[in-house]
Amino acid sequence: MAELERYRDVFTACFGKACRLADVWVLRMNTGETQRKIIHVDCDCFYAAVEMRDDPTLRDVPLAVGGAQGRGVVTTCNYRARAFGVRSAMPGSEARRLCPGLVTVPADFPRYRAASQQVMAILRELTDLVEPLSLDEAFLDVSEVTDHKGSATLMARYLRERVKKEVGITISAGVAPNKFLAKIASDWQKPDGLFVITPEQVPDFVQALPVEKLSGVGQVTAGKLHALGIKTCGDIQALGAEVLIEKFGKQGYRLYEMAHGRDERPVVVSRIAKSVSVERTFSRDLPDKTACQSVMPDLLDDLNRRLSRKAQKKPIHKLFVKVRYSDFSTHTLERVRESVAEPALADYQPLLDELITREDRPVRLLGLGVRFRNDEAPVTQLRLFD
């Protein structure tokens, strides 16, 4: 405790007032708060993976997305292209010089967004505490999830299997006590890998970790650290917090914390899952309403399985049915059904009857879903008179 108080004094001397981060550190050490379980998932060469999924002829060739013409740059590339030295943000001309057989395709962001939505939906079935960083990566806080025996490792394995099966691409996952280490772990055995850093392994893991692996350390900061003789997190630990704060200000404290494997940043939830749905696009259009009714049981079973996998059970507010006809026109009908705990065929049949008015119209896609009640939304009593 005396050491913690000493570092609070250091912050006061450097910044003129006691630093809140130091107070958080003291509080954490005093309260002994429950160890968090964080998963970081990262889709492997995401855009290229979607292209290879949709066009099998691209799977065995060096592939780049973007950079085909003029001064264009490579958006991403597959691992065959990376073996030649091709990298993201590289000019297309340089990429083709390094890899004469490089195949380039234009970016198709609507397809990538659709694949991303599938991946994120799978993540949110496990927990609502999901923080997307981009289309192809996200943090999950699974500290309170009891599924899969409460094991974050088993959860990560389960997510990887589901994404591979349902989306048709691979993801790498890292499991650790915090965001900083989980992100490093997800990159440790790429592609299609899973790496776990347990709380007990943290001290040994960070000891030899290069400073370049630290979040926020680019070429400039790395150069300054190297000039001080610092190449690893172990070197940072030996240098001490006072010197780091003197040289780097507030960033010095963060470097010192990361070098010890500590990161208090929470998983920031930008949106809570408001619905769960399943849908199926048929290789041959369903000829009529009767054919739609025949596939409803399978869709409903799939929907209820997804609902049962939700770690946080929420009350159902609405049911909805979605239909896309052979001419690609899409229609959705939803109705309030707050008394439903587990949807049954009898709950969806009235919606299907109301939605499909022409019984002989071919159907290309059929979907079922639920929307959850938001108990946290403010309730406003409307006034009868002004």
Side-chain angles (χ1 to χ4, degrees):
M1 186 63 197
E3 182 185 4
L4 299 179
E5 295 292 350
R6 180 166 60 86
Y7 284 123
R8 179 183 286 157
D9 293 340
V10 170
F11 276 84
T12 302
C14 289
F15 304 120
K17 60 182 179 178
C19 179
R20 180 177 176 275
L21 287 174
D23 290 331
V24 168
W25 188 16
V26 173
L27 178 62
R28 183 187 69 229
M29 297 299 288
N30 281 337
T31 58
E33 65 181 33
T34 303
Q35 184 66 65
R36 292 188 299 162
K37 302 174 186 176
I38 307 297
I39 301 174
H40 179 259
V41 298
D42 191 5
C43 301
D44 300 315
C45 59
F46 179 52
Y47 299 167
V50 173
E51 297 293 345
M52 292 187 291
R53 178 197 67 181
D54 296 345
D55 184 352
T57 64
L58 299 175
R59 294 174 185 172
D60 297 319
V61 299
L63 172 69
V65 176
Q69 298 178 0
R71 302 173 66 180
V73 298
V74 173
T75 304
T76 191
C77 58
N78 65 4
Y79 288 93
R80 286 180 178 271
R82 295 182 192 189
F84 288 88
V86 179
R87 294 291 182 269
S88 300
M90 176 180 287
S93 57
E94 175 68 8
R96 286 185 290 275
R97 185 188 67 79
L98 292 172
C99 181
L102 186 68
V103 176
T104 56
V105 297
D108 187 343
F109 288 104
R111 269 196 302 141
Y112 307 152
R113 280 192 289 270
S116 174
Q117 289 169 359
Q118 286 182 279
V119 173
M120 297 301 167
I122 291 172
L123 303 185
R124 290 190 174 101
E125 285 183 28
L126 181 65
T127 176
D128 283 333
L129 299 180
V130 177
E131 178 184 351
L133 302 179
S134 61
L135 288 179
D136 61 343
E137 64 174 320
F139 285 113
L140 298 82
D141 187 333
V142 296
S143 306
E144 304 300 325
V145 177
T146 57
D147 293 351
H148 308 282
K149 303 178 182 179
S151 167
T153 302
L154 294 180
M155 295 178 211
R157 189 174 299 155
Y158 158 80
L159 293 173
R160 293 177 62 245
E161 290 171 355
R162 279 200 62 194
V163 170
K164 190 171 187 177
K165 178 181 178 181
E166 299 179 27
V167 188
I169 63 174
T170 63
I171 63 174
S172 293
V175 178
N178 57 56
K179 293 168 73 171
F180 155 59
L181 290 174
K183 186 170 176 63
I184 289 177
S186 68
D187 193 51
W188 211 254
Q189 292 185 347
K190 263 186 168 291
D192 196 16
L194 168 61
F195 190 73
V196 179
I197 306 171
T198 66
E200 297 76 20
Q201 294 170 337
V202 170
D204 289 338
F205 180 83
V206 297
Q207 188 70 26
L209 193 67
V211 294
E212 287 82 1
K213 291 286 187 180
L214 299 181
S215 175
V217 175
Q219 289 185 351
V220 174
T221 303
K224 293 179 179 178
L225 289 168
H226 291 167
L228 295 172
I230 299 173
K231 294 185 178 181
T232 68
C233 288
D235 296 333
I236 290 179
Q237 294 177 24
L239 188 65
E242 297 97 325
V243 176
L244 286 165
I245 294 169
E246 181 183 347
K247 297 288 186 183
F248 298 96
K250 293 182 180 180
Q251 186 188 15
Y253 173 77
R254 174 139 176 78
L255 291 173
Y256 186 76
E257 284 285 274
M258 287 190 292
H260 285 81
R262 294 190 287 257
D263 180 9
E264 294 299 329
R265 292 175 302 159
V267 168
V268 179
V269 180
S270 57
R271 62 174 286 267
I272 299 293
K274 299 178 181 178
S275 64
V276 171
S277 63
V278 295
E279 58 185 44
R280 191 169 301 169
T281 301
F282 305 100
S283 56
R284 292 185 178 181
D285 293 345
L286 298 180
D288 50 31
K289 179 180 174 182
T290 301
C292 290
Q293 292 171 324
S294 70
V295 302
M296 290 265 285
D298 285 344
L299 280 172
L300 183 63
D301 287 344
D302 193 7
L303 175 64
N304 281 324
R305 275 196 298 273
R306 294 192 178 192
L307 287 171
S308 69
R309 288 194 291 254
K310 291 288 291 180
Q312 291 86 9
K313 307 301 180 185
K314 300 179 180 178
I316 292 173
H317 178 50
K318 294 180 179 180
L319 305 183
F320 64 89
V321 174
K322 175 181 177 182
V323 172
R324 179 171 297 143
Y325 293 105
S326 56
D327 61 359
F328 286 90
S329 62
T330 304
H331 304 269
T332 301
L333 179 69
E334 59 182 49
R335 291 287 182 264
V336 174
R337 295 288 189 273
E338 293 197 332
S339 61
V340 174
E342 181 176 309
L345 279 174
D347 298 312
Y348 281 104
Q349 188 63 50
L351 278 73
L352 189 71
D353 291 340
E354 189 175 348
L355 188 60
I356 299 182
T357 55
R358 275 184 47 194
E359 299 205 0
D360 61 345
R361 191 174 179 182
V363 170
R364 175 182 177 83
L365 176 149
L366 182 63
L368 307 178
V370 305
R371 302 196 194 283
F372 299 119
R373 189 174 73 225
N374 183 6
D375 291 328
E376 297 180 359
V379 177
T380 302
Q381 177 68 49
L382 299 180
R383 298 178 62 180
L384 184 59
F385 302 105
D386 290 334

